[in-house]
Amino acid sequence: APIRIVSTPAWARCARRVSPNSRVSRPHASSRRPDATASRPAPSPANAALLDDFARHLGARPRLTREADLRDATRLAACAGDAALTSLTRRDVVRPLGSLHASGLGGSRLARMLCSWRAFYAFALERDATLHDNPCAGLKPPKAARRLPAALT
């Protein structure tokens, strides 16, 4: 019997469905980043309690935003070491930001991290009346790289 060729209707070409198990919808195992939180030291008990309160404060935010804010605040706590997060100065916040930039983190990722740190300190200022200033206030992240227009490449 001859093989019959059936063309796909035009409307079906655009409406391609991707199953959850297809390779298109998930990255390859080799392209996934390793878990960077495994190598970081645990925050001090005082900082851990403050981070737990911050996690409860973020409860109403979307899940991905909440996870990103907690991840970035935990990274700040790891950079602070044994020092209390509420006692950090502007210099103490700029130093890890600069070292992360030097290690190759992009401008948009650093801007997101700085935004999380600002949210954390806004929470801390609201919670603790003895704090008077936000060490992240006025800090600007490095500019994100911009691509050239296609006409110039």
Side-chain angles (χ1 to χ4, degrees), residues 2-49:
I3 299 175
R4 189 172 177 199
I5 299 174
V6 179
S7 65
T8 307
W11 60 267
R13 287 185 208 128
C14 299
R16 181 177 172 220
R17 293 181 190 213
V18 178
S19 70
N21 295 328
S22 75
R23 290 179 153 238
V24 176
S25 65
R26 59 185 172 148
H28 295 294
S30 62
S31 67
R32 292 186 195 133
R33 291 184 179 170
D35 186 17
T37 58
S39 63
R40 287 193 207 123
S44 67
N47 288 342

Side-chain angles (χ1 to χ4, degrees), residues 74-101:
T74 304
R75 178 175 264 181
L76 179 63
C79 292
D82 292 334
L85 287 172
T86 54
S87 68
L88 294 182
T89 62
R90 183 181 176 101
R91 181 179 295 168
D92 297 330
V93 172
V94 169
R95 189 175 303 126
L97 198 63
S99 66
L100 291 170
H101 180 57

